[in-house]
Amino acid sequence: RSIPPPHVPQPMKIKVLSRDSEAYERRTKDDIHHVEKNLDPALHPLEAAREYKRALNAVKLERVFAKPFLGSLDGHGDGVYCMSKHPLRLSYVLSGAGDGEVRLWDLSRRVCTYHAVHHRGMVKGVTFTPNGLQFISVGADNVIRITKMDQVGSEVAADAEATEAPVTIVGKSYFTSVDHHRRRDLFATGGAAVELWSQARSEPLQTFNWGDDTVNVVRFNLVETNVLASAGDDRNVTLYDVRAASPIRKVILAMRTNAICWNPMEAFNFTLANEDHNLYTFDMRKLDVARNVHKDHVSAVMDVDYSPTGRDFVAGSYDRTLRLFDASKGHSKEVYHTKRMQRVFCVKWSLDSKYILSGSDETNIRLWKATAWEQLETKAPRQKAAIDYNEKLKERFGHHPEVRRIAKQRRVPQEINRAKSQKKEMEQSEKRKESNRRKHSKPGAVAYQKERAKNVVAEVE
């Protein structure tokens, strides 16, 4: 006879009401009382009309508070033609001027912490090493200078005497650009050819030649770090693999490319700043057609730089304006300009994605907000929630004519408006001419050409 198991008591379930005091109590005596809301749509028949009015007010306030200019950095004696961001410190930026002077800036204090004349003539390019302890500058005087910045605690040495003498490498010809590999002790220069250098050697490790014209810009890919792109006076954009002995492929455009910038989040995509007033985004795997054409500038685009997210980029132009673009759209979403700012030769987007820097030929570096209407001070939680709510309202009602009109309205100088209208008239004339030619020709004799392929002359492998 088996013995029954002893009775095991079951655990008792107890339901407890738990209330968070922050959900119904005020933080301070000046705060408003919490009010419970019933979100049943049947109780709010005028919700759409009410939120449309809120969206309209939000987009109007956005235009009221759109004051992007923060300040300027003075000190250069000539135009600023190149800049570089410190890879590890958000507040440090290096700039090179037309008189051979190189300056290191602390943006948090808006002061220059280092300045010295490194070249006879224009500084054509500057870049930091990946560890941020050295920077490299090149000039039209055939010289490469590698400068080491001594560290004193957490501060950078404030004068040239506190640093070691720069390492000087004399090249065989002039230099036009420089960029450093993201991980290896390797940097590339442009000029009569594309050359790969090491800091430990006074001769180039490797030389790439594909064409006889000057190479104006070289840029390493930020993701596929062994891929290098260059652009030259012969209108070519060439891709290289530094592990190979010869270039990979090149694309020939209708006009010259002034700047190249790789997307930091998408390894295959890069954007070109072109002389024909447009920017072109390409996929390196398919160079016969652009992925996107970005328009709105009315003069040559001199420089371009991506935000750290890879979703937006900023372009500086000879028309004395900066334009911010969504990487997936063809027209700019914002334009920055001032009365005194002249032709913009270099632009940088800060690594925290909050600020933009521009260098122009009237010796100033200007600091801008990446979001023109953003409030930079510390925000209370309720204020953050209100800002997020307004952004969602603008997104939801952005297609309404009145909301869209206010959101897109921008004031630009009169000469830019005139140039824009003249350019539009010229484009319409070309379209009419092509349409008339097609009407009076045999069917299929005048082929339709894609807008994204018009600027591509040929792809060579």
Side-chain angles (χ1 to χ4, degrees):
R1 182 180 178 183
S2 61
I3 301 173
H7 176 70
V8 178
Q10 297 295 324
M12 182 183 299
K13 294 182 179 180
I14 301 175
K15 295 183 179 180
V16 179
L17 293 177
S18 176
R19 294 187 178 91
D20 185 4
S21 60
E22 291 188 357
Y24 56 87
E25 288 185 354
R26 295 185 295 173
R27 293 177 180 269
T28 66
K29 65 177 183 179
D30 299 322
D31 206 349
I32 61 175
H33 288 276
H34 181 74
V35 179
E36 295 292 340
K37 296 180 181 179
N38 190 336
L39 302 179
D40 184 3
L43 300 177
H44 304 281
L46 300 177
E47 178 188 6
R50 187 184 304 116
E51 289 198 333
Y52 169 74
K53 189 64 177 178
R54 289 175 180 170
L56 199 59
N57 291 337
V59 77
K60 287 179 180 178
L61 289 174
E62 172 190 304
R63 292 291 88 217
V64 168
F65 292 114
K67 294 179 174 57
F69 180 66
L70 294 175
S72 64
L73 306 175
D74 302 328
H76 276 296
D78 205 334
V80 182
Y81 297 104
C82 54
M83 287 194 297
S84 179
K85 299 175 288 189
H86 197 285
L88 303 178
R89 297 187 177 185
L90 292 176
S91 60
Y92 286 117
V93 172
L94 191 68
S95 62
D99 57 359
E101 185 184 38
V102 174
R103 284 179 175 261
L104 182 68
W105 302 90
D106 184 352
L107 299 181
S108 59
R109 295 182 292 164
R110 299 188 191 179
V111 296
C112 175
T113 60
Y114 171 86
H115 63 91
V117 177
H118 281 215
H119 299 276
R120 295 192 305 271
M122 184 183 296
V123 181
K124 304 294 283 187
V126 290
T127 186
F128 280 100
T129 56
N131 57 15
L133 300 179
Q134 296 168 307
F135 68 83
I136 303 168
S137 64
V138 299
D141 56 354
N142 302 6
V143 170
I144 302 172
R145 288 192 182 272
I146 305 171
T147 307
K148 181 178 179 181
M149 304 302 296
D150 291 339
Q151 302 294 323
V152 183
S154 61
E155 294 292 326
V156 177
D159 58 334
E161 286 74 14
T163 65
E164 297 180 7
V167 177
T168 301
I169 301 174
V170 180
K172 295 180 180 179
S173 63
Y174 57 92
F175 298 107
T176 58
S177 179
V178 64
D179 196 30
H180 204 288
H181 194 282
R182 197 168 187 179
R183 295 186 178 91
R184 295 167 54 189
D185 176 21
L186 188 70
F187 64 93
T189 60
V194 175
E195 296 176 331
L196 298 180
W197 302 77
S198 172
Q199 296 184 33
R201 297 186 61 181
S202 60
E203 295 291 332
L205 302 175
Q206 196 169 354
T207 302
F208 294 105
N209 278 310
W210 196 354
D212 299 325
D213 229 325
T214 301
V215 177
N216 292 319
V217 57
V218 290
R219 287 292 178 268
F220 275 103
N221 194 320
L222 299 177
V223 183
E224 295 292 337
T225 54
N226 290 312
V227 176
L228 175 71
S230 73
D233 280 340
D234 53 1
R235 302 176 288 126
N236 292 343
V237 177
T238 311
L239 299 178
Y240 310 87
D241 190 330
V242 298
R243 297 165 295 187
S246 60
I248 304 172
R249 60 173 62 178
K250 70 177 178 180
V251 58
I252 304 173
L253 304 180
M255 296 190 74
R256 190 182 72 175
T257 296
N258 292 320
I260 301 173
C261 188
W262 290 92
N263 191 314
M265 303 301 289
E266 299 172 2
F268 298 109
N269 297 339
F270 60 92
T271 298
L272 309 177
N274 203 267
E275 281 280 335
D276 66 354
H277 311 176
N278 298 333
L279 297 106
Y280 298 90
T281 298
F282 281 91
D283 188 325
M284 63 180 289
R285 300 166 294 183
K286 186 177 175 61
L287 295 176
D288 58 341
V289 61
R291 289 195 62 186
N292 210 340
V293 181
H294 311 276
K295 301 183 175 182
D296 277 347
H297 280 296
V298 295
S299 190
V301 187
M302 304 307 296
D303 199 10
V304 58
D305 192 37
Y306 267 93
S307 70
T309 61
R311 297 181 179 179
D312 306 286
F313 62 84
V314 59
S317 172
Y318 213 70
D319 62 9
R320 299 180 293 177
T321 63
L322 301 174
R323 288 188 181 268
L324 278 64
F325 291 84
D326 188 321
S328 62
K329 296 182 180 177
H331 290 277
S332 61
K333 62 179 184 179
E334 193 65 76
V335 56
Y336 295 163
H337 58 88
T338 65
K339 289 183 179 179
R340 297 183 180 182
M341 185 167 69
Q342 297 301 309
R343 294 166 294 210
V344 181
F345 283 90
C346 52
V347 292
K348 292 296 174 187
W349 201 309
S350 69
L351 293 177
D352 60 354
S353 197
K354 287 183 176 294
Y355 304 99
I356 290 170
L357 290 151
S358 67
S360 46
D361 62 355
E362 87 295 346
T363 75
N364 271 349
I365 298 173
R366 288 179 172 83
L367 184 64
W368 312 80
K369 289 189 286 187
T371 305
W373 58 89
E374 183 182 11
Q375 298 179 18
L376 299 179
E377 64 271 10
T378 305
K379 305 176 187 70
R382 201 168 71 243
Q383 191 178 7
K384 291 180 183 177
I387 292 172
D388 294 340
Y389 177 62
N390 286 338
E391 291 298 322
K392 287 295 183 182
L393 286 178
K394 287 186 286 187
E395 181 181 344
R396 178 183 176 186
F397 294 95
H399 63 283
H400 282 251
E402 189 67 11
V403 176
R404 185 172 66 245
R405 182 188 66 81
I406 297 172
K408 293 178 67 175
Q409 186 177 16
R410 296 294 183 274
R411 302 290 185 185
V412 294
Q414 188 176 2
E415 56 268 20
I416 293 179
N417 275 330
R418 279 199 296 264
K420 191 174 182 179
S421 61
Q422 184 180 4
K423 185 178 176 182
K424 184 178 180 181
E425 187 177 348
M426 292 167 62
E427 291 174 349
Q428 289 176 348
S429 175
E430 288 292 331
K431 289 181 180 179
R432 284 195 305 268
K433 187 183 293 184
E434 184 180 350
S435 177
N436 292 336
R437 192 182 295 118
R438 190 174 288 112
K439 287 178 183 178
H440 295 86
S441 302
K442 292 181 180 180
V446 181
Y448 288 94
Q449 194 174 13
K450 295 179 181 178
E451 185 69 24
R452 297 181 180 184
K454 283 182 179 178
N455 193 52
V456 180
V457 177
E459 181 185 3
V460 184
E461 294 189 5

